[in-house]
């Protein structure tokens, strides 16, 4: 007999770099309509935003963190680790927001996905030390160095699972999903060199693995306008946030107040 799901509302947030600011826009639009999740799952930037959400931080807190956190600060670069930037330099910055540094200290259950590079396996963290799990999930290779979590050497969760909906399925009767890793149509002129081809193939692989799960959510968003924003383009934080907010607001208004999503408040 299938195990009965708990009557919880879930929120799934994908990876996608700076485009993940659209997750914060979605959160603002949902909160304005009285919808709050009971449980969160996220990968990479989605794990970071999910942690702030599970910590009951405001939208303003979330945006401030990402705006104030440096990406390419000279003293963050490393020559002793596999990566251009030492991911662990961000520990103190996150500690200011998560002083207890545990999953148990959050207001909501949180599931954080990372990739175990040594065993080649997907790892999901949901208890114990919080910050190192977040750093591991967001360690986008080859830019950011892998992170040691216990005996594991971990990197970006998007390598294995960019949209970790399955960690909510057992618990949640309704799930809202936000995907910011878009793989829309491209023109031949945009695929002229090996780097562009590699980026395209990677995005297609990631999107294909997420597409089916997106369709299984009670409601999901993936704003196509985000394609114009680079994954590490920090100057587009506000733009990505606005795209996410405007897109979610339009879709929620179109659904109307009688939709099953908003009736589940």
């Amino acid at each position: 007999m299938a195990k009965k799901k708990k009557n919880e509302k879930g929120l799934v947030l994908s990876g996608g770099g700076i485009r993940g600011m659209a997750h914060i826009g979605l959160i603002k639009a949902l909160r304005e309509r009285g919808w709050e999740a009971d449980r969160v799952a996220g990968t990479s930037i989605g794990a970071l935003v999910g942690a702030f959400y599970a910590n009951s931080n405001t939208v303003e807190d979330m945006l401030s963190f990402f705006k104030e956190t440096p990406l390419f600060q000279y003293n963050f670069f490393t020559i002793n680790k596999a990566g251009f930037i030492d991911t662990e330099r961000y520990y103190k910055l996150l500690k200011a927001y998560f002083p207890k540094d545990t999953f148990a200290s959050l207001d909501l259950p949180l599931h954080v996905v990372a990739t175990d590079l040594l065993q080649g396996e997907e790892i999901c963290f949901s208890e114990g030390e919080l910050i190192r799990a977040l750093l591991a999930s967001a360690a986008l290779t080859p830019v950011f160095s892998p992170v040691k979590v216990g005996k594991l050497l971990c990197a970006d969760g998007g390598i294995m699972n960019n949209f970790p909906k399955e960690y909510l399925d057992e618990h949640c009767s309704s799930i809202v999903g936000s995907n910011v890793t878009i793989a829309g149509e491209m023109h031949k002129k945009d695929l002229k060199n090996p780097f562009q081809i590699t980026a395209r193939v990677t995005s297609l692989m990631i999107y294909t693995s997420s597409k089916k799960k997106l369709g299984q959510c009670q409601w999901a968003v993936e704003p196509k306008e985000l394609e114009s924003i680079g994954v590490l383009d920090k100057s587009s934080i506000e733009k990505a946030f606005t795209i996410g907010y405007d897109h979610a607001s339009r879709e929620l208004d179109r659904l109307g107040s009688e939709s099953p999503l908003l009736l589940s408040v």
Side-chain angles (χ1 to χ4, degrees):
M1 181 180 294
K3 192 174 182 179
K4 187 176 180 180
K5 296 180 181 180
K6 297 178 182 177
N7 191 30
E8 293 183 359
K9 300 188 295 293
L11 178 64
V12 186
L13 305 175
S14 79
I18 294 300
R19 296 174 183 177
M21 298 302 97
H23 294 323
I24 304 176
L26 166 67
I27 288 168
K28 179 179 180 182
L30 288 169
R31 282 179 170 173
E32 286 177 347
R33 290 158 179 81
W35 190 94
E36 294 281 357
D38 301 304
R39 184 178 295 265
V40 190
T43 294
S44 197
I45 190 71
L48 289 168
V49 174
F52 283 108
Y53 184 87
N55 198 46
S56 298
N57 287 101
T58 66
V59 164
E60 290 72 26
D61 285 340
M62 299 179 200
L63 286 174
S64 292
F65 171 78
F66 290 107
K67 286 178 179 178
E68 295 168 5
T69 298
L71 275 181
F72 299 110
Q73 188 166 298
Y74 74 94
N75 61 332
F76 279 31
F77 282 85
T78 179
I79 59 173
N80 299 317
K81 294 185 177 182
F84 299 111
I85 298 174
D86 184 354
T87 307
E88 297 194 38
R89 290 296 188 106
Y90 294 91
Y91 181 89
K92 289 183 179 180
L93 300 177
L94 284 167
K95 192 73 159 55
Y97 287 86
F98 305 102
K100 294 184 179 179
D101 190 17
T102 64
F103 280 87
S105 67
L106 299 174
D107 297 322
L108 301 176
L110 173 67
H111 305 265
V112 171
V113 171
T115 299
D116 177 1
L117 293 175
L118 301 181
Q119 298 297 321
E121 295 178 347
E122 175 182 329
I123 301 294
C124 183
F125 299 101
S126 59
E127 58 184 21
E129 189 178 358
L130 173 66
I131 296 175
R132 296 186 73 83
L134 295 176
L135 292 176
S137 182
L140 177 66
T141 56
V143 178
F144 297 95
S145 65
V147 176
K148 290 183 179 180
V149 184
K151 295 181 179 180
L152 306 176
L153 183 65
C154 297
D156 194 295
I159 299 169
M160 303 294 285
N161 188 349
N162 201 52
F163 191 76
K165 170 183 173 289
E166 55 268 45
Y167 294 103
L168 301 186
D169 286 340
E170 178 184 336
H171 308 276
C172 301
S173 57
S174 64
I175 295 175
V176 168
S178 179
N179 177 48
V180 298
T181 300
I182 312 298
E185 184 179 354
M186 291 187 71
H187 300 287
K188 188 176 179 180
K189 64 180 178 64
D190 298 319
L191 297 172
K192 291 183 177 180
N193 61 58
F195 298 104
Q196 291 172 327
I197 292 288
T198 300
R200 177 61 170 171
V201 170
T202 300
S203 66
L204 287 171
M205 290 171 64
I206 291 173
Y207 184 71
T208 299
S209 68
S210 303
K211 189 174 181 179
K212 183 178 179 180
K213 290 187 284 185
L214 277 164
Q216 295 169 347
C217 294
Q218 183 182 15
W219 185 65
V221 293
E222 47 176 359
K224 302 299 183 183
E225 303 97 316
L226 292 170
E227 281 191 281
S228 64
I229 295 176
V231 172
L232 296 176
D233 181 10
K234 194 180 173 189
S235 66
S236 294
I237 285 178
E238 196 67 40
K239 180 180 178 181
F241 165 75
T242 301
I243 287 173
Y245 175 73
D246 289 346
H247 180 88
S249 295
R250 285 194 305 269
E251 291 300 304
L252 286 167
D253 289 343
R254 184 178 62 81
L255 288 174
S257 60
E258 296 303 310
S259 72
L261 173 71
L262 295 179
L263 285 175
S264 66
V265 172

